[in-house]
Amino acid sequence: MANLILVIGNKNYSSWSLRPWIFMRYFKIPFDEKHIALFTDTMEPDLAMYGSDTKVPVLQDGERIIWDSLAILDYISEQHLEGKGWPTDINARAFARSISAEMHSSFFHLREALPMNCRKRFKNYPVSSEAQREIDRVKELWKKCRNQYGQQGKWLFGEFSAADAMYAPIALRFAGYDIALNNDEHAYVDAIISHPDVQEWIDAGKVEPEVIELDEIELAPGVIVEHL
Ligand SMILES: N[C@@H](CCC(=O)N[C@@H](CS)C(=O)NCC(=O)O)C(=O)O
């Protein structure tokens, strides 16, 4: 059994869980997973011991409990990666922290209108002007990262960092809802989605039996759904 236990929700839906999971997988930090079936009768008792206000993800490191995705990324970077989970250069690191905090605190319309769903791909999905504004903001941030700091590799800051973990579920959403992308945006979304660990997460999500109605979108006329 590994020292670290990552408590996560349903892989099909839980975008916050994906963030620390892909981060730890990418950096090959060994951990065990504990699965919580979100929005079921067992969720509250199963999460009660962590004091996370019945939310996932939670990281257990021995006696220590860390909850909330961004806090977990910070903790892992500090305790298990000697700070290398963030870009080394201070300008890049400041930018990476800013866009990660923005991901954590913002993009409500995008998150609500385009819930992560590994099992389905939508075409002709209508996007509200509010959600489109947030999609455009994400694209603008990605462009700045790639142009200013990302030349040495395929990730936002060249090397994979906590910022990529924070935006990984957005890449899945852009692909899942067939959001129009230019070549650079496409390349970044592909880099995330084709990563073998992300593929493993998606495959696990697809075969989960649970359906969370709250996270299933209502289909407007003309929307085409592909079941993956
Ligand atoms: N700010 C938290 C958000 C966590 C969160 O909302 N997680 C969802 C699953 S993706 C959850 O646990 N929902 C259960 C609930 O709201 O009771 C983070 O970054 O970890």
Side-chain angles (χ1 to χ4, degrees):
M1 194 171 150
N3 283 337
L4 295 171
I5 300 170
L6 186 65
V7 185
I8 56 175
N10 309 57
K11 285 186 173 165
N12 189 53
Y13 302 105
S14 186
S15 56
W16 293 112
S17 299
L18 170 57
R19 293 173 166 107
W21 188 93
I22 186 59
F23 187 64
M24 291 165 76
R25 275 301 197 87
Y26 186 91
F27 286 107
K28 303 202 180 332
I29 296 168
F31 66 97
D32 289 328
E33 291 175 26
K34 178 172 170 179
H35 293 241
I36 302 290
L38 293 175
F39 307 112
T40 62
D41 293 344
T42 54
M43 176 174 98
E44 236 180 274
D46 285 349
L47 284 171
M49 65 181 282
Y50 301 111
S52 66
D53 196 21
T54 67
K55 286 198 170 36
V56 290
V58 176
L59 180 72
Q60 185 167 6
D61 187 358
E63 297 284 293
R64 200 171 292 141
I65 302 289
I66 306 98
W67 68 94
D68 208 293
S69 55
L70 195 50
I72 298 172
L73 299 184
D74 252 333
Y75 177 83
I76 290 290
S77 178
E78 181 188 295
Q79 290 293 315
H80 297 273
L81 295 171
E82 297 174 335
K84 297 287 193 301
W86 293 103
T88 315
D89 170 71
I90 179 59
N91 293 321
R93 190 160 70 249
F95 204 78
R97 283 195 188 281
S98 299
I99 69 159
S100 298
E102 183 171 342
M103 178 67 252
H104 193 244
S105 64
S106 311
F107 303 117
F108 296 107
H109 297 289
L110 192 171
R111 278 159 40 200
E112 194 180 315
L114 282 58
M116 192 176 90
N117 194 329
C118 302
R119 294 175 195 141
K120 294 180 181 172
R121 199 168 293 149
F122 301 91
K123 285 218 183 316
N124 304 331
Y125 185 68
V127 174
S128 67
S129 57
E130 291 92 347
Q132 187 58 53
R133 197 195 154 276
E134 294 180 352
I135 290 168
D136 293 343
R137 171 71 181 161
V138 169
K139 291 178 173 182
E140 183 192 322
L141 293 176
W142 286 1
K143 186 176 171 183
K144 282 189 180 160
C145 293
R146 296 282 309 135
N147 287 349
Q148 290 174 31
Y149 307 109
Q151 301 301 313
Q152 303 306 317
K154 60 183 176 179
W155 306 110
L156 291 176
F157 294 85
E159 305 267 307
F160 189 89
S161 76
D164 297 291
M166 286 305 286
Y167 281 86
I170 299 293
L172 266 65
R173 285 163 152 123
F174 282 4
Y177 291 87
D178 202 23
I179 301 301
L181 301 172
N182 69 24
N183 286 347
D184 291 343
E185 293 153 1
H186 222 288
Y188 180 64
V189 166
D190 273 355
I192 294 281
I193 291 184
S194 63
H195 190 276
D197 290 320
V198 174
Q199 277 300 319
E200 186 184 317
W201 175 283
I202 292 171
D203 289 344
K206 281 185 200 164
V207 296
E208 283 173 347
E210 299 91 1
V211 174
I212 301 179
E213 290 301 340
L214 205 71
D215 285 325
E216 293 287 336
I217 57 158
E218 262 180 50
L219 288 185
V223 178
I224 300 164
V225 193
E226 188 188 348
H227 294 265
L228 303 172

